Amino acid sequence: MSEAQSEAVRLRVEKIGKVFGRRDKPVVEALRDIDMTVAEGEFVSIVGASGSGKSTLLRIIDGLLAPSSGRVLVDGRAVDRPGRDRAVVFQQDSLLPWKTVIENVAYGLTLARTPKAEAHRTAQHFIDIAGLGGFEHHYPHQLSGGMRQRVNVARALAVDPKILLLDEPFAALDAQTREIMQTELLSIWQETRKTVLLITHQIDEAVFLSDRVIVFSARPGTIREEIPVRLPRPRDLHLKRSPEFTALVDHIWTSIEAEVRASLKQG
Ligand code: ADP
Ligand code: MG
């Protein structure tokens, strides 16, 4: 890939603002003037205190929620509703319990009227990439939480989106599973070279995975800081013990600590 191609802008968020109006309570300004760009193939994370508007921004990018101001562009084209160019994975898996792993992964393709044999071939490819080979015919309830989230990621990738949007995808998992999932996600990303925008409240997860970390400030949600992560790839969990890694995590933590503490008090 040429330098010019690798620098191509995939996602552009322009002056996004969001105000939630509520009849019985004060209005909430969830986002103000959010400007950001994600390059093709880049892995970017957003971290910030709870309530800083991270999920709101992701839902606006996906087109599930209309912004109060600003716009979202994918490959230079303004988008205002969900489309196959963006796929989202949330904290809770959204698998269909009556369908097997391969049927779940193929589901989006089937909806788009891809012939079944082809849909299953594509699904199989992403099942293998997600390390789920051998579980094609299992049902969601037969899998662990970590495996179900891998099925979710495989399903999101199967429709070949331009951007993978992840909103705290590992938040419901225990600490050890979560670390394993981080390395799994890195290898999936290495293999597919998708553009990824990840939301997480775990700073070390953001630094470990990303090319760049965007730090949000709360009330209203604004971008406080953007931090390039120039740690070598491929990365493994040992990286988390390096001084460079710890210094970045400390820097980000110092930047948001006061807000995280405040958000704990506000509930
Ligand atoms: P985060 O994901 O960073 O924790 P959210 O985007 O979920 O933050 O929320 C940002 C702010 O917007 C919070 O104050 C939240 O209460 C408010 N908010 C989110 N969704 C709605 C909604 N549908 N109606 C009213 N307020 C909302
Ligand atoms: Mg959230």
Coordinates of all heavy atoms in Angstrom, one line a residue, residues 20 22 28 30 48-57 59 167-168 199 219, ligand 1:
F20 N -29.5 16.5 24.4 CA -30.7 15.7 24.7 C -31.7 16.6 25.5 O -31.3 17.1 26.5 CB -30.4 14.5 25.6 CG -29.6 13.4 24.9 CD1 -28.3 13.2 25.2 CD2 -30.2 12.6 24.0 CE1 -27.5 12.2 24.6 CE2 -29.5 11.6 23.3 CZ -28.2 11.4 23.6
R22 N -35.1 16.9 27.6 CA -36.1 16.1 28.4 C -37.1 17.0 29.0 O -36.8 18.1 29.5 CB -35.3 15.3 29.4 CG -34.5 14.2 28.8 CD -33.9 13.3 29.8 NE -32.7 14.0 30.5 CZ -31.9 13.4 31.3 NH1 -32.0 12.1 31.5 NH2 -30.9 14.0 31.9
V28 N -29.5 17.9 28.5 CA -28.1 17.4 28.7 C -27.3 17.7 27.4 O -27.8 17.3 26.3 CB -28.1 15.9 29.0 CG1 -26.6 15.4 29.0 CG2 -28.8 15.6 30.2
A30 N -24.6 16.5 25.6 CA -23.7 15.3 25.7 C -22.4 15.5 24.9 O -21.4 15.0 25.3 CB -24.5 14.1 25.2
G48 N -12.6 8.1 28.3 CA -13.1 9.2 29.0 C -14.0 8.7 30.1 O -14.5 7.6 30.1
A49 N -14.3 9.6 31.0 CA -15.1 9.2 32.2 C -16.5 8.8 31.7 O -16.9 9.1 30.6 CB -15.2 10.4 33.1
S50 N -17.1 8.0 32.6 CA -18.5 7.6 32.3 C -19.4 8.9 32.2 O -19.3 9.8 32.9 CB -19.0 6.7 33.5 OG -20.3 6.5 33.4
G51 N -20.2 8.9 31.1 CA -21.1 10.1 30.9 C -20.4 11.2 30.0 O -21.0 12.2 29.9
S52 N -19.2 10.9 29.5 CA -18.6 11.9 28.7 C -19.0 11.9 27.2 O -18.5 12.7 26.4 CB -17.0 11.8 28.8 OG -16.6 10.6 28.4
G53 N -20.0 11.1 26.9 CA -20.6 11.2 25.6 C -20.0 10.2 24.5 O -20.3 10.3 23.3
K54 N -19.2 9.2 25.0 CA -18.6 8.3 24.1 C -19.6 7.5 23.3 O -19.5 7.4 22.1 CB -17.6 7.4 24.9 CG -16.6 8.1 25.7 CD -15.6 7.1 26.4 CE -16.3 6.2 27.4 NZ -16.9 6.9 28.6
S55 N -20.5 6.9 24.0 CA -21.5 6.0 23.3 C -22.4 6.9 22.4 O -22.8 6.4 21.4 CB -22.4 5.3 24.3 OG -21.6 4.3 25.0
T56 N -22.7 8.1 22.9 CA -23.6 9.0 22.1 C -22.9 9.2 20.7 O -23.5 9.1 19.7 CB -23.8 10.3 22.8 OG1 -24.5 10.0 24.1 CG2 -24.6 11.3 22.0
L57 N -21.6 9.5 20.8 CA -20.8 9.7 19.5 C -20.8 8.5 18.6 O -21.1 8.6 17.4 CB -19.4 10.2 19.8 CG -18.6 10.4 18.6 CD1 -19.1 11.6 17.8 CD2 -17.1 10.7 18.9
R59 N -23.0 6.1 18.5 CA -24.4 5.9 17.9 C -24.7 6.9 16.8 O -25.3 6.6 15.8 CB -25.5 6.0 19.0 CG -25.5 4.7 19.9 CD -26.2 5.0 21.2 NE -27.6 5.3 21.0 CZ -28.3 6.1 21.8 NH1 -27.7 6.7 22.9 NH2 -29.6 6.3 21.6
D167 N -18.2 -0.6 21.0 CA -18.5 0.2 22.2 C -18.4 -0.7 23.4 O -19.2 -1.5 23.8 CB -19.9 0.7 22.1 CG -20.2 1.7 23.2 OD1 -19.4 1.9 24.2 OD2 -21.3 2.4 23.2
E168 N -17.2 -0.6 24.1 CA -16.9 -1.4 25.3 C -17.2 -2.9 25.1 O -17.9 -3.5 25.9 CB -17.8 -0.9 26.5 CG -17.7 0.6 26.7 CD -17.0 1.0 28.0 OE1 -16.4 0.2 28.6 OE2 -17.1 2.2 28.3
I199 N -14.4 2.2 21.7 CA -14.7 3.0 22.9 C -14.4 2.0 24.1 O -14.8 0.9 24.1 CB -16.1 3.4 23.0 CG1 -16.3 4.6 22.0 CG2 -16.5 3.8 24.4 CD1 -17.7 5.0 21.9
R219 N -19.1 16.7 30.3 CA -20.0 17.8 30.6 C -19.6 19.1 30.0 O -19.2 20.0 30.8 CB -20.2 17.8 32.1 CG -21.0 16.6 32.6 CD -20.8 16.5 34.1 NE -20.6 15.1 34.5 CZ -21.5 14.2 34.5 NH1 -22.7 14.4 34.1 NH2 -21.2 12.9 34.8
Ligands
ADP1 P1 -20.5 7.4 28.0 O1 -20.8 6.4 26.9 O2 -19.3 8.2 27.8 O3 -20.6 6.9 29.3 P2 -23.1 8.5 27.1 O4 -22.8 8.9 25.7 O5 -23.8 7.3 27.3 O6 -21.7 8.6 27.9 O7 -23.9 9.7 27.8 C1 -23.5 11.1 27.7 C2 -24.5 11.9 28.5 O8 -25.7 12.0 27.7 C3 -24.8 11.4 29.8 O9 -25.0 12.5 30.7 C4 -26.1 10.7 29.6 O10 -26.9 10.7 30.8 C5 -26.8 11.5 28.5 N1 -27.7 10.7 27.7 C6 -27.3 9.6 26.9 N2 -28.4 9.2 26.2 C7 -29.4 9.9 26.5 C8 -30.8 10.0 26.2 N3 -31.3 9.1 25.3 N4 -31.6 10.9 26.7 C9 -31.1 11.8 27.6 N5 -29.8 11.8 28.0 C10 -29.0 10.9 27.5

